[in-house]
Amino acid sequence: MSGRGGASYGEGEIVRDATGDEDHEKVVGRVERQVIKSAVKKMDALATGSKRPRASQASRTTARRRCYARAGIPLYLSIARDTAQVTLFSAPGANDYREHWTRPFGRELPLPDPFTFDLDTSDLL
């Protein structure tokens, strides 16, 4: 099965999108556990997406990211299994995020305030 989904945090609860993809669920679950352990009471918002290699998928992912930026969601974490990379987008602007940091799976990705911890991506390998 192939699928797409994510999780977002706001107003004190994590909301997961339906995916139908067990691998995606494992990846999102691992990220969720780290966030919950480190900063759940401090965070304002976190949107997590996971990409699979398809041309239409890239445009949907870009559209989702831009929508989150326009909505003012402070951070967007993208997990790209096709390239084995994690990208954190921040500083939402009028049409997209103005800053981003990318790390390959296996390297830590520093998360800024309100999280202030290093996301361990070695579990994503």
Side-chain angles (χ1 to χ4, degrees), residues 34-53:
Q34 287 187 54
V35 169
I36 289 168
K37 286 179 183 178
S38 300
V40 89
K41 294 191 188 231
K42 296 182 195 178
M43 71 175 118
D44 289 331
L46 174 66
T48 306
S50 181
K51 300 182 267 185
R52 287 191 178 265

Side-chain angles (χ1 to χ4, degrees), residues 49-115:
S50 181
K51 300 182 267 185
R52 287 191 178 265
R54 288 187 294 191
S56 62
Q57 184 72 29
S59 62
R60 285 195 311 261
T61 299
T62 299
R64 176 186 278 202
R65 185 189 74 232
R66 288 179 176 169
C67 181
Y68 288 158
R70 285 190 298 270
I73 294 174
L75 301 172
Y76 176 76
L77 182 67
S78 176
I79 302 168
R81 292 182 290 172
D82 58 325
T83 60
Q85 294 181 326
V86 177
T87 302
L88 177 68
F89 295 90
S90 69
N95 195 38
D96 207 344
Y97 286 92
R98 294 184 301 266
E99 298 177 12
H100 71 276
W101 298 268
T102 301
R103 298 289 187 275
F105 288 0
R107 296 220 17 234
E108 290 185 344
L109 177 66
L111 299 181
D113 286 336
F115 307 102

Side-chain angles (χ1 to χ4, degrees), residues 4-49:
R4 181 171 196 316
S8 56
Y9 180 88
E11 298 184 10
E13 85 181 84
I14 292 175
V15 179
R16 294 178 115 187
D17 299 335
T19 67
D21 181 358
E22 290 180 28
D23 288 337
H24 175 80
E25 289 295 317
K26 289 178 188 175
V27 167
V28 170
R30 289 175 183 151
V31 171
E32 266 183 8
R33 282 190 294 279
Q34 287 187 54
V35 169
I36 289 168
K37 286 179 183 178
S38 300
V40 89
K41 294 191 188 231
K42 296 182 195 178
M43 71 175 118
D44 289 331
L46 174 66
T48 306

